[in-house]
Amino acid sequence: MIVVLKPEAAEKDIEFVSEKIRKMGLKPHVSKGEERTIIGAIGDEALIKEDQLRALRIVEKVMPILKPYKLVSREFKPRDTLLNIGGVEIGGKKLVIIAGPCSVESREQIILTAKEVKKAGASMLRGGAFKPRTSPYTFQGLGEEGLKLLQEAKKETGLPIVTEVMDTGDVSLIAKYADVLQIGARNMQNFQLLKAVGKVKKPVLLKRGMSATLKELLMSAEYIMSEGNHEVILCERGIRTFVEYSRNTLDLNIVPEIKKHTHLPILVDPSHGTGKYDLVSPMSKAAVACGADGLIIEVHNNPEEAISDGDQSLTPKNFAQLMKELKPVAEAVGRKL
Ligand code: PEP
Ligand code: MN
């Protein structure tokens, strides 16, 4: 349920209504807009005494949230969510570009790649230390050693770190090193994991499952937010279709569509979305043109020797070229790089 307060509502009124909601057994969530304050009542709607809320003089109207997702919905928070991660803004006018290798492989590889992507204008570094691999016989990541190398790369470049967490048991370890916890496509509906990252104070990059609908992606974000962590970034990374020429089909439709439904920022991953390095640049531009808040791109200092995803990784040179070409596209749609 959404409770819209009258424009003159003061702090004490907001607290009064919030307390009333708490007493009904629900959780209030306050969202202050320029003109109105909205309080969401989160929990079992059957507990809400709608008439009592409507009777409060400071309340302008009480409306049900018709969507199954509440905290993520635009009805609930009309204005875009703006995150600040170590000085890097996500969801604002400036696009965020996260770049780095699929996996952290060695000190030399991650430091070199980090320096190159920083030089080209990336604002965060990606790299997997715990890798979700299709085969149990392939490289599974360096684990904590990989996290330590990411930390070194951060010290060298100042770039905040984005890295994947696959297991509830690793959340606190990874949260010690990472600036953003990535939930991979395969874990988008690992509800225990979503609840676990919902309990930590670290932004979460939630990647769309390979056959997840828009509603399922938003419900997964709702899992994280309902545990108290409201710093969620969505990511389109391609879905499975009948198409055989590319690894996945990058569903760019979801970018403008999802913005109608949620205030959360959405990034696009053209690397996993295509699986081919030569498609990364055109799809990056398309993603920016259709309103993505940024990109997450695989870059490797030597893709031919990469242990994972070399075929979809850009060289530092190609990445620098892409950054140059992205600039006018960003400006054409009112964004900055
Ligand atoms: C990744 O970004 O490293 C990754 C494994 O991506 P996804 O979960 O989208 O497959
Ligand atoms: Mn990868």
Side-chain angles (χ1 to χ4, degrees):
M1 199 69 75
I2 294 175
V3 183
V4 182
L5 303 188
K6 290 186 181 156
E8 64 267 27
E11 264 326 306
K12 67 169 184 9
D13 301 312
I14 298 172
E15 185 40 42
F16 179 75
V17 179
S18 299
E19 188 52 27
K20 192 107 188 145
I21 292 170
R22 268 184 224 111
K23 282 201 179 128
M24 292 175 186
L26 291 116
K27 241 196 253 132
H29 182 274
V30 178
S31 170
K32 289 183 187 163
E34 248 154 40
E35 288 171 10
R36 295 265 189 300
T37 295
I38 293 171
I39 307 181
I42 303 299
D44 181 359
E45 298 231 330
L47 296 172
I48 298 178
K49 298 181 186 83
E50 213 179 311
D51 291 352
Q52 285 190 12
L53 289 172
R54 209 162 275 169
L56 300 173
R57 274 183 305 108
I58 201 66
V59 169
E60 187 168 278
K61 56 182 169 181
V62 178
M63 305 180 299
I65 305 178
L66 301 172
K67 304 266 169 55
Y69 38 86
K70 317 282 178 203
L71 293 163
V72 308
S73 78
R74 271 237 190 254
E75 286 172 278
F76 192 76
K77 181 172 182 281
R79 292 214 292 186
D80 286 347
T81 283
L82 195 66
L83 301 178
N84 187 321
I85 301 164
V88 177
E89 273 199 355
I90 302 190
K93 211 172 153 75
K94 192 167 161 29
L95 299 171
V96 64
I97 309 292
I98 305 169
C102 179
S103 310
V104 180
E105 298 170 6
S106 67
R107 172 175 288 109
E108 193 200 359
Q109 173 244 17
I110 192 68
I111 305 267
L112 208 83
T113 308
K115 284 183 174 166
E116 293 279 5
V117 299
K118 160 105 188 190
K119 198 165 74 186
S123 40
M124 289 204 202
L125 178 67
R126 62 149 290 145
F130 294 84
K131 293 301 301 177
R133 302 304 301 281
T134 301
S135 164
Y137 306 118
T138 53
F139 179 59
Q140 305 285 305
L142 294 178
E144 189 169 3
E145 179 55 23
L147 299 175
K148 288 184 176 152
L149 295 176
L150 283 168
Q151 198 176 39
E152 278 189 44
K154 181 181 173 180
K155 263 200 199 118
E156 287 270 342
T157 59
L159 295 175
I161 300 300
V162 182
T163 196
E164 180 161 353
V165 51
M166 294 202 299
D167 192 302
T168 50
D170 296 331
V171 172
S172 55
L173 172 77
I174 298 175
K176 273 200 279 180
Y177 294 92
D179 297 284
V180 177
L181 300 172
Q182 177 175 322
I183 299 291
R186 292 153 192 81
N187 275 315
M188 191 206 82
Q189 284 190 316
N190 179 339
F191 300 116
Q192 289 304 109
L193 186 59
L194 298 177
K195 285 191 207 174
V197 296
K199 288 188 176 79
V200 295
K201 276 189 93 56
K202 277 279 148 107
V204 176
L205 176 68
L206 176 65
K207 299 189 85 174
R208 181 184 184 183
M210 42 188 109
S211 58
T213 63
L214 179 150
K215 186 170 142 191
E216 285 163 343
L217 173 58
L218 290 181
M219 289 310 286
S220 290
E222 187 80 17
Y223 258 94
I224 300 169
M225 293 180 75
S226 68
E227 293 294 333
N229 187 351
H230 287 203
E231 298 196 310
V232 180
I233 306 149
L234 305 170
C235 180
E236 160 59 29
R237 48 77 70 203
I239 49 171
R240 279 277 167 90
T241 66
F242 57 85
V243 160
E244 40 33 90
Y245 67 85
S246 60
R247 182 175 178 179
N248 290 296
T249 296
L250 193 63
D251 176 24
L252 290 183
N253 292 344
I254 202 170
V255 174
E257 181 61 31
I258 215 162
K259 287 196 169 284
K260 297 186 218 160
H261 304 270
T262 184
H263 51 85
L264 294 173
I266 181 160
L267 308 186
V268 168
D269 173 350
S271 308
H272 294 89
T274 63
K276 288 178 161 177
Y277 78 90
D278 56 333
L279 296 185
V280 169
S281 176
M283 296 318 290
S284 295
K285 293 174 203 163
V288 167
C290 75
D293 295 296
L295 301 164
I296 175 163
I297 300 177
E298 287 187 340
V299 179
H300 193 286
N301 61 312
N302 184 3
E304 288 171 20
E305 299 281 317
I307 300 179
S308 60
D309 287 350
D311 38 3
Q312 65 190 36
S313 297
L314 295 185
T315 59
K317 191 166 165 248
N318 286 341
F319 177 66
Q321 180 62 27
L322 166 61
M323 290 295 281
K324 276 197 200 117
E325 292 173 13
L326 268 179
K327 205 167 178 288
V329 181
E331 282 162 6
V333 292
R335 307 294 286 261
K336 278 196 308 202
L337 203 58

